[in-house]
């Protein structure tokens, strides 16, 4: 009992023509980029497109440039800072002591 469905198992848009029915592809060229770890990446760009100075390496994520001998340095990650660390950057110990004395005097003044 074979069914008479001739397109069984094929995709919509699939056919014997393949790429030819989609038209001509835009002219492209490949550009080599190197990261600090020595990885080479060769993305493809349209012929009229502007080539970026820096490209992210897909292997390690470091920035890559077209200069193989002098690739860009990896970004420096700042460590996580707590709220207290940010406060200490803005205030000196003397400022902190005066703010604490002021707050304590207000509290003691209300209790009396």
């Amino acid at each position: 009992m074979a069914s008479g469905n001739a397109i069984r198992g094929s995709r919509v848009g699939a056919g014997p023509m393949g790429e030819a029915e989609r038209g001509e592809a835009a002219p492209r060229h490949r550009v080599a980029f190197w990261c600090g770890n020595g990885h080479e990446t060769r993305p493809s760009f349209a012929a009229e497109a502007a080539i970026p100075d820096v490209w992210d390496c897909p292997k390690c994520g470091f920035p890559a440039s077209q200069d193989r001998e002098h690739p860009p340095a990896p970004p420096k990650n700042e460590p996580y800072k707590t709220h207290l660390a940010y406060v200490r950057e803005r205030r000196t110990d003397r400022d902190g002591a005066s703010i604490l004395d002021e707050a304590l005097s207000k509290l003691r003044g209300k209790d009396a």
Side-chain angles (χ1 to χ4, degrees), residues 90-112:
R90 293 191 316 262
R91 307 257 192 238
T92 63
D93 287 340
R94 183 178 292 161
D95 293 338
S98 66
I99 291 171
L100 179 62
D101 289 341
E102 182 182 332
L104 288 175
S105 65
K106 283 183 182 179
L107 286 174
R108 290 181 182 137
K110 288 183 181 179
D111 290 339

Side-chain angles (χ1 to χ4, degrees), residues 70-102:
H70 306 332
K76 294 184 180 181
N77 292 334
E78 293 291 327
Y80 174 77
K81 289 185 182 178
T82 63
H83 176 70
L84 183 58
Y86 283 112
V87 170
R88 285 184 177 157
E89 285 181 359
R90 293 191 316 262
R91 307 257 192 238
T92 63
D93 287 340
R94 183 178 292 161
D95 293 338
S98 66
I99 291 171
L100 179 62
D101 289 341
E102 182 182 332

Side-chain angles (χ1 to χ4, degrees), residues 7 13 22 26 45-46 57 60-61 63-64 67-68 70 74 78 101-102:
I7 62 170
R22 295 185 186 167
F45 295 95
C57 177
C60 63
D67 185 2
R68 184 177 199 164
H70 306 332
E78 293 291 327
D101 289 341
E102 182 182 332

Side-chain angles (χ1 to χ4, degrees), residues 51-69:
I51 307 300
D53 294 332
V54 178
W55 190 261
D56 289 338
C57 177
K59 293 180 183 171
C60 63
F62 285 177
S65 70
Q66 295 179 43
D67 185 2
R68 184 177 199 164
E69 301 303 318

